[in-house]
């Protein structure tokens, strides 16, 4: 039987068990509890005659939703014998019955009208989930009770083994209630333990509790929640995190009618949003005691107005219908849970405090676990975010786009990285790498290698030299620190790209006409092997072409090898380029999305880093380049050359500023240079001026004193230029500045 869809089948009698002796006095049996009647209420689940009842477990939501304590049996012409939920606390009558003190529709002892009492078999087995679990012998209406059998209408009440007091007719035995509580606690704790984050655990507590154990629940948590060994500061403030109660209308699917609900004035208006626990108050004492308490005790009764608010305390039901359970984590109290039962249901018993204690303990430990897990995930996210570039730089003559996908949502830190580093002479370095693994250690190694690559790129070393120094750095980090890397330098003026590879998948170049080409680059050994040489190749980078750098997670998985994936990537790029025509390259962002769409459901075995570079280049007509001898006449010659270039480009409005700044920078260069000085003007979206010499010392901006004859040149550059900088080269340095084109 599907436990999520419970249906009803009318049954009046049970069939006799073979070999049962109705005269055996051990077969005397209390009838199944029958709740009071109420018209329009829902009926509990009922199986067919002779069927083995299904066992309800933690994954049987139908039992929890419909076989509730407090659900009332509808008045029907046919008699039904209710079966309590396997993991729920059974309905327990509270005193007399509404029908003149008789349970089961007027028959004494809980026997339904028109049905004869049931007699246990001679082997001592019991009925319907009671200890022994047998079937009852059939007794027809109007017939006499067999000799030796006990008629429940005349049977004396059995004593409670714990208290010695007689058990009222129709009330389950203590053994029955204790077993139900154990099954409920087991199912509830398993449901709570399934949660990984804070909301899942709190929701698991509420769903497991309502309606099986309580009619409503309020969960308060500390604000803010302390993490690990952190010592909380400030006053203790509790915030109402979640509330849950029996809904006003029940699901009628499966033969159920809407259940009778308590008045909406109770259990709905209980609970304030924030509560500050004052030191020495009644609420502080209850929380310090850790143990759950009934709210009719003096301490809890005084603590409730502080927790719920003075104006909402009146909404609580009277008597032992509420339990206040502190939530204590590993080191401190982190909240409280309030369990409520409505007036139509029996009050809580002493054993229910043990149930509440178990629920509170497992929930508090789960919340502690969720908070610690959340902090670890936050650290991982922050580490990954700081290891990768937040924004790609805007470089002259090239447009960039990137993507990064972790291996899984639960492991968002990996060893893949990408980078774009501006270089002197309007060049840009494109880097993509992959450290073995996708753990916190891999991310830490990746961060060190990326920082090393940025430092080496600032020295303007050739690509093969950069990989050689990265290999040395990886060996210093450890003997098992392995990584692959591809380092490329693009020059927009010469329209050339220089590439060096260290065991990485080759890049793919998408031409303007739609042809996708896998570049033939020497593979090389991975970084960290040591004692190997790296080779660089120089290739054409035509305007309008797109270079795609990626990690092996994009092209390799358990379902395909790396070269099959590279071929699929090449075909995907070519097919995407055909959509925009031969004269228009596809947009970069859309191209990156199309590339990632080639991944199938089983292709996410590793992290994926993707870097796309669209080569626009700089036209030769937008470049002016000169060599100047290091002599006193060089600054004047530089001013004249700059004036002619600006006139040719129609930028005469910048002539005065350019002449002044070029004169200052060239003067500083020829003062110390021993070889010819280079002067280059680039016209792009801005006007860029670059002056190079063979002196490695970088100029520094300083405040000149009134008596100094020099030292004001860089001060003028800093005030008039849009931005400026100086970069050390292997052959000297380059000082550059940029001006807006107006």
């Amino acid at each position: 039987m599907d436990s999520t869809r419970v249906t009803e089948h009318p049954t009046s009698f049970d069939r006799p068990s073979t070999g049962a002796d109705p005269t055996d006095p051990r077969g005397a049996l209390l009838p199944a509890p029958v709740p009071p009647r109420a018209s329009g209420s829902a009926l509990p689940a009922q199986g067919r005659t002779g069927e083995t009842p299904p066992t309800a477990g933690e994954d049987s939501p139908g039992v929890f939703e419909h076989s509730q304590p407090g659900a009332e049996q509808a008045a029907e012409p046919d008699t039904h014998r209710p079966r309590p939920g396997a993991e729920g606390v059974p309905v327990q009558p509270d005193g007399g019955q509404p029908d003149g003190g008789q349970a089961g529709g007027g028959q004494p002892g809980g026997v339904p009208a028109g049905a004869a009492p049931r007699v246990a078999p001679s082997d001592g087995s019991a009925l319907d989930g009671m200890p022994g679990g047998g079937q009852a012998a059939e007794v027809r209406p109007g017939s006499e009770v067999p000799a030796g059998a006990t008629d429940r209408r005349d049977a004396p009440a059995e004593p409670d083994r714990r208290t010695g007091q007689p058990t009222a007719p129709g009330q389950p035995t203590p053994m029955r209630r204790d077993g139900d509580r154990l099954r409920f606690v087991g199912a509830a704790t398993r449901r709570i333990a399934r949660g990984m984050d804070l909301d899942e655990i709190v929701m698991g507590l509420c769903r497991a509790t309502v309606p099986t154990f309580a009619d409503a629940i309020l969960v308060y948590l500390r604000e803010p929640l302390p993490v690990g060994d952190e010592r909380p500061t400030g006053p203790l403030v509790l915030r109402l995190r979640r509330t849950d109660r029996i809904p006003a209308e029940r699901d009628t699917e499966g033969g159920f009618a809407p259940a009778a609900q308590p008045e909406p004035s109770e259990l709905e208006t209980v609970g304030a949003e924030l509560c500050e626990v004052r030191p020495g108050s009644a609420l502080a004492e209850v929380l310090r005691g850790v143990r759950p308490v009934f709210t009719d005790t003096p301490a809890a009764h005084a603590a409730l107005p502080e927790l719920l608010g003075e104006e909402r305390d009146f909404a609580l039901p009277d008597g032992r219908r509420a339990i206040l359970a502190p939530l204590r984590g590993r080191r401190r109290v982190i909240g409280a849970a309030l369990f409520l039962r409505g007036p139509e249901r029996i009050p809580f018993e002493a054993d229910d405090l043990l149930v509440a204690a178990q629920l509170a303990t497992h929930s508090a430990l789960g919340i502690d676990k969720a908070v610690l897990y959340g902090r670890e995930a936050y650290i991982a996210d922050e580490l990954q975010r700081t290891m990768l570039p937040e924004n790609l730089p805007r470089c002259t003559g090239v447009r960039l786009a990137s993507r990064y996908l972790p291996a899984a949502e639960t492991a968002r830190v990996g060893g893949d990285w990408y980078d774009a580093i501006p270089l002197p002479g309007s060049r840009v370095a494109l880097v993509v790498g992959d450290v073995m693994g996708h753990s916190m250690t891999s991310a830490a190694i990746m961060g060190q290698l990326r920082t090393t690559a940025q430092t080496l790129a600032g020295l303007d070393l050739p690509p093969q030299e950069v990989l050689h120094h990265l290999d040395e750095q990886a060996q210093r980090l450890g003997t098992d620190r392995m990584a692959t890397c591809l380092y490329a330098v693009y020059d927009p003026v010469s329209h050339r790209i220089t590439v060096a590879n260290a065991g990485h998948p080759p890049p793919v170049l998408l031409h303007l006409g739609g042809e996708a080409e896998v570049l033939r680059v020497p593979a090389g050994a991975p970084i960290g092997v040591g004692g190997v040489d790296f080779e660089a190749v120089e290739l054409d980078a035509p305007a309008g072409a797109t270079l795609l750098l990626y990690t092996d997670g994009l092209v390799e998985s358990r379902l395909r090898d790396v070269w099959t994936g590279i071929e699929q990537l090449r075909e995907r790029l070519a097919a995407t380029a055909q959509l925009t025509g031969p004269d228009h390259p596809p947009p970069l962002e859309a191209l990156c999305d199309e590339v990632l769409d080639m991944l199938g459901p089983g292709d996410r075995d590793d992290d994926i880093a993707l870097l796309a570079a669209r080569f626009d280049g700089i036209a030769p007509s937008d470049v002016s380049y000169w060599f100047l001898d290091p002599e006193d006449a060089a600054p004047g010659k530089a001013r004249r050359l700059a004036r002619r270039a600006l006139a040719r480009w129609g930028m005469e409005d910048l002539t005065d500023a350019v002449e002044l700044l070029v004169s200052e920078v060239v003067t500083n260069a020829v003062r110390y240079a021993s070889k010819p000085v280079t002067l280059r003007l680039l016209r792009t979206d801005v006007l860029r001026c670059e002056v190079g010499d063979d002196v490695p010392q970088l100029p520094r901006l300083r405040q000149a004193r009134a008596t100094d004859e020099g030292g004001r040149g860089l001060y003028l550059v800093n005030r008039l230029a849009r931005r400026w900088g100086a970069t050390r080269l292997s052959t000297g340095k380059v000082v550059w500045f940029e001006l807006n084109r107006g």
Side-chain angles (χ1 to χ4, degrees):
M1 179 186 293
D2 187 358
S3 60
T4 61
R5 298 176 61 88
V6 183
T7 58
E8 301 176 9
H9 304 282
T11 303
S12 299
F13 307 102
D14 291 326
R15 298 300 177 189
S17 176
T18 304
D21 184 5
T23 63
D24 191 343
R26 294 178 300 170
L29 160 72
L30 290 177
V34 180
R37 300 187 177 197
S39 61
S41 61
L43 293 177
Q46 174 69 30
R48 298 181 185 272
T49 304
E51 278 190 354
T52 302
T55 301
E58 59 175 333
D59 298 325
S60 301
V63 176
F64 281 102
E65 289 296 326
H66 301 295
S67 299
Q68 304 171 24
E72 300 173 341
Q73 184 177 8
E76 297 287 348
D78 297 331
T79 52
H80 302 270
R81 178 168 49 85
R83 178 189 304 155
E87 294 183 356
V89 180
V91 178
Q92 304 174 20
D94 185 14
Q97 303 296 334
D99 298 331
Q102 303 290 343
Q107 288 288 342
V111 181
R118 292 167 294 167
V119 181
S122 60
D123 58 357
S125 59
L127 295 174
D128 302 323
M130 299 292 286
Q135 293 183 351
E138 179 180 1
V139 180
R140 299 289 183 179
S143 62
E144 296 181 359
V145 179
T150 302
D151 190 347
R152 289 303 302 163
R153 291 173 292 182
D154 303 324
E158 295 183 3
D160 190 321
R161 291 179 297 173
R162 296 173 298 178
T163 62
Q165 300 297 326
T167 304
Q171 182 177 358
T173 62
M175 180 73 71
R176 175 79 174 267
R177 293 198 302 268
D178 292 345
D180 288 337
R181 286 191 180 94
L182 288 176
R183 287 190 292 270
F184 164 70
V185 170
T189 52
R190 288 193 299 271
R191 187 166 191 172
I192 294 170
R194 283 199 299 260
M196 287 297 295
D197 59 23
L198 183 61
D199 292 333
E200 288 180 353
I201 293 173
V202 175
M203 183 177 66
L205 171 63
C206 295
R207 295 292 173 84
T209 303
V210 178
T212 309
F213 181 68
D215 295 334
I217 183 175
L218 289 80
V219 181
Y220 288 84
L221 294 182
R222 194 165 189 153
E223 180 73 19
L225 278 170
V227 180
D229 297 333
E230 296 178 0
R231 185 177 297 275
T233 59
L236 173 58
V237 178
L238 299 180
R239 177 182 291 275
L240 183 60
R241 184 78 183 191
R242 185 180 177 91
T243 63
D244 206 352
R245 66 182 302 276
I246 297 178
E249 295 182 359
R250 310 311 305 269
D251 185 10
T252 60
E253 185 178 5
F256 278 87
Q261 297 298 319
E263 293 297 329
S265 60
E266 297 194 12
L267 308 182
E268 290 185 345
T269 60
V270 179
E273 183 70 19
L274 284 176
C275 166
E276 181 176 348
V277 182
R278 297 182 298 273
S281 63
L283 180 58
E285 295 299 325
V286 172
L287 296 179
R288 186 179 295 110
V290 178
R291 297 180 181 275
V293 294
F294 291 117
T295 55
D296 61 348
T297 60
H301 187 72
L304 284 180
E306 185 178 354
L307 179 66
L308 305 177
E310 297 289 346
E311 71 282 357
R312 303 192 182 208
D313 184 32
F314 70 90
L316 280 178
D318 298 330
R320 289 190 171 185
R321 300 186 181 275
I323 295 178
L324 179 59
L327 302 179
R328 179 176 175 81
R330 295 181 304 165
R331 300 181 182 276
R332 59 185 64 86
V333 173
I334 59 175
L338 184 62
F339 304 95
L340 302 170
R341 283 188 181 178
E344 78 288 346
R345 193 170 177 180
I346 66 170
F348 289 108
E349 298 181 349
D351 288 345
D352 292 327
L353 291 178
L354 301 178
V355 176
Q358 287 292 322
L359 296 177
T361 299
H362 283 274
S363 301
L365 294 178
I367 291 171
D368 256 358
K369 174 191 67 176
V371 172
L372 289 173
Y373 174 79
R375 183 180 68 171
E376 295 299 325
Y378 171 78
I379 293 174
D381 290 344
E382 286 296 305
L383 178 61
Q384 184 67 64
R385 185 185 63 82
T386 55
M387 292 301 179
L388 294 176
E390 186 173 355
N391 295 305
L392 293 173
R394 297 185 59 184
C395 303
T396 303
V398 62
R399 286 175 285 171
L400 303 171
S402 63
R403 294 291 187 274
Y404 179 85
L405 293 179
E409 290 297 328
T410 56
R412 288 181 274 188
V413 177
D416 294 13
W417 89 92
Y418 61 89
D419 213 342
I421 309 169
L423 299 178
S426 299
R427 297 172 300 155
V428 58
L430 307 174
V431 191
V432 65
D434 183 4
V435 179
M436 292 180 57
H438 42 79
S439 61
M440 296 285 289
T441 302
S442 301
I445 297 172
M446 177 266 288
Q448 297 182 68
L449 293 180
R450 177 173 177 250
T451 303
T452 303
Q454 288 181 327
T455 304
L456 296 172
L459 300 177
D460 198 27
L461 298 178
Q464 65 272 21
E465 290 296 323
V466 173
L467 294 183
H468 176 73
H469 289 293
L470 283 177
D471 180 63
E472 293 180 341
Q473 175 66 12
Q475 295 180 64
R476 286 191 290 267
L477 294 177
T479 57
D480 58 344
R481 309 309 188 192
M482 304 285 292
T484 62
C485 182
L486 190 141
Y487 189 94
V489 176
Y490 170 65
D491 189 345
V493 177
S494 63
H495 297 270
R496 304 281 289 178
I497 184 171
T498 306
V499 185
N501 191 8
H504 204 77
V508 179
L509 184 65
L510 179 62
H511 294 273
L512 185 59
E515 178 187 358
E517 174 190 4
V518 180
L519 298 182
R520 296 184 177 181
V521 181
I527 291 174
V529 173
V532 296
D533 192 18
F534 299 98
E535 182 181 355
V537 295
E538 188 173 353
L539 305 170
D540 289 331
T546 304
L547 183 68
L548 201 70
L549 308 179
Y550 53 91
T551 56
D552 58 355
L554 180 65
V555 295
E556 184 180 19
S557 69
R558 292 171 294 179
L559 305 178
R560 59 184 177 183
D561 61 87
V562 61
W563 288 108
T564 302
I566 292 175
E567 181 62 23
Q568 292 179 0
L569 173 62
R570 188 192 65 80
E571 295 175 355
R572 188 62 174 260
L573 290 174
T576 304
Q578 295 297 328
L579 299 177
T580 57
D583 300 330
H584 299 85
L588 273 183
E589 298 294 338
L591 182 64
C592 292
D593 294 336
E594 286 292 330
V595 168
L596 294 181
D597 285 343
M598 66 178 283
L599 298 173
D603 291 344
R604 290 286 299 280
D605 299 332
D606 197 1
D607 304 338
I608 298 175
L610 178 65
L611 179 63
R614 173 71 44 77
F615 299 143
D616 294 333
I618 300 177
S621 58
D622 293 332
V623 181
S624 297
Y625 193 86
W626 304 279
F627 287 93
L628 303 174
D629 294 329
E631 56 187 11
D632 295 340
K637 184 178 180 179
R639 288 193 295 269
R640 291 193 298 272
L641 295 174
R643 186 185 311 115
R644 295 173 185 173
L646 294 176
R648 185 171 66 252
W649 292 336
M651 303 172 64
E652 291 85 352
D653 54 335
L654 298 178
T655 300
D656 294 339
V658 171
E659 285 188 6
L660 176 60
L661 299 184
V662 165
S663 178
E664 293 294 336
V665 176
V666 171
T667 299
N668 290 336
V670 301
R671 180 176 299 176
Y672 306 103
S674 58
K675 296 180 180 180
V677 175
T678 61
L679 172 64
R680 185 167 72 170
L681 294 179
L682 303 174
R683 183 184 64 167
T684 58
D685 53 342
V686 296
L687 179 66
R688 182 182 177 96
C689 177
E690 300 174 351
V691 178
D693 58 62
D694 60 341
V695 181
Q697 285 78 17
L698 299 180
R700 300 297 182 204
L701 181 63
R702 63 184 181 88
Q703 186 70 34
R705 293 174 296 182
T707 57
D708 291 342
E709 295 182 359
R712 296 177 177 84
L714 289 181
Y715 178 77
L716 294 175
V717 174
N718 185 62
R719 292 298 301 269
L720 298 180
R722 174 176 174 265
R723 63 189 188 118
W724 72 280
T727 305
R728 183 179 286 109
L729 306 177
S730 57
T731 58
K733 69 174 182 294
V734 169
V735 180
W736 57 270
F737 63 86
E738 293 177 353
L739 293 173
N740 293 323
R741 294 181 55 178

